[in-house]
Amino acid sequence: MIGVIGALDIEIERLVEKMERPVRREVSGIPFVCGSIHGVETVVARAGVGKVNAAVCAQTMALVYEPELIVNTGVSGALSQELRVGDIVVGTDVVQHDMDTTPMGEAPGTITIRGVDMVAFACDRLASTAICTAAADLGIRVVRGRIASGDQFVASSARKREIVRLFSAATCEMEAGAIAQVCRMNDIPCAVIRCISDGGNEEAPMSYEEFLPMAAKNSAALTLEFLKIRGNL
């Protein structure tokens, strides 16, 4: 089974529409829909915005559905100057830019799991490569890059520059870091698909409102294409 998590209804509704024999269930206030997409047994969930919501969703999915892979799909803000609205970043790894224990002498973003200090959580290479292959059939520009997560809608050029300086990330959003951490704690591979909706600067709120539908459509389309390829294996 493949698990797919989005923060918003608009990010996952197209997947649910394609699902055959959907079975709906709500756990901890989070809606899960389980069925078949392109012949692949899939569970889709709308987590809500932010890292705590995402962590609860991912952990519940891990315990209840036991997926072999979790894919986080949705929209994000550009940090790299090379990214434009509509482009997709497929994560190489994920960091949490708002995790800060530097007063204790640790590096920015440090998280301790099982006694090991970590900053970046690697995305599954095989799944990420398959996602990039799927993008070739859609005509959507896709790049590989680091995803930076935090409980903050980045809409400041200064904050954007700081995240790039500290983490060399390509894009920023609010859930993938928590999902990647939960996946690591449960030994579940994860992948991240993020379509650019805004520039992470002072114009971000207006750009986000305008381009959210298009960005959500692109990220969902790529997720569906990946599942189609997976179903043909």
Side-chain angles (χ1 to χ4, degrees):
M1 175 178 285
I2 304 297
V4 180
I5 298 175
L8 306 171
D9 285 326
I10 196 172
E11 295 173 328
I12 54 98
E13 60 190 6
R14 290 174 179 81
L15 284 82
V16 175
E17 289 170 0
K18 293 289 186 180
M19 187 174 286
E20 298 179 7
R21 302 178 301 278
V23 177
R24 300 175 186 273
R25 178 179 183 183
E26 186 171 298
V27 185
S28 298
I30 297 171
F32 294 86
V33 188
C34 184
S36 177
I37 300 178
H38 296 310
V40 178
E41 190 176 7
T42 308
V43 57
V44 177
R46 190 258 298 144
V49 175
K51 292 196 299 178
V52 173
N53 285 330
V56 171
C57 181
Q59 185 62 54
T60 302
M61 181 179 283
L63 293 174
V64 175
Y65 295 96
E66 299 181 348
E68 64 191 68
L69 170 74
I70 291 180
V71 179
N72 177 215
T73 185
V75 306
S76 64
L79 296 176
S80 169
Q81 298 299 320
E82 298 179 0
L83 291 171
R84 298 292 180 266
V85 168
D87 291 345
I88 286 181
V89 179
V90 176
T92 54
D93 56 8
V94 188
V95 299
Q96 296 183 36
H97 67 76
D98 61 345
M99 186 68 180
D100 186 1
T101 53
T102 54
M104 304 299 294
E106 296 178 327
T110 297
I111 295 167
T112 303
I113 294 179
R114 300 170 188 164
V116 178
D117 290 343
M118 307 179 64
V119 172
F121 295 88
C123 296
D124 185 73
R125 185 172 298 178
L126 290 177
S128 299
T129 299
I131 290 167
C132 291
T133 299
D137 297 329
L138 298 178
I140 300 173
R141 181 172 180 258
V142 172
V143 301
R144 301 288 300 274
R146 172 170 285 179
I147 313 288
S149 289
D151 283 320
Q152 176 185 37
F153 184 94
V154 176
S156 161
S157 298
R159 180 59 181 153
K160 176 176 172 176
R161 288 192 297 270
E162 183 70 358
I163 296 171
V164 171
R165 183 183 72 82
L166 292 174
F167 299 103
S168 300
T171 186
C172 58
E173 46 72 73
M174 300 178 68
E175 294 83 31
I179 294 169
Q181 180 177 341
V182 169
C183 285
R184 176 60 181 261
M185 295 172 74
N186 287 274
D187 296 318
I188 299 172
C190 76
V192 181
I193 299 170
R194 288 289 180 170
C195 186
I196 301 301
S197 60
D198 59 86
N201 53 19
E202 286 73 13
E203 288 75 41
M206 290 182 293
S207 176
Y208 174 82
E209 291 293 336
E210 179 179 359
F211 294 112
L212 171 62
M214 179 274 291
K217 180 180 178 180
N218 280 0
S219 61
L222 181 51
T223 305
L224 286 168
E225 190 67 20
F226 165 68
L227 290 171
K228 182 186 292 185
I229 290 176
R230 189 96 176 194
N232 291 331
L233 294 178

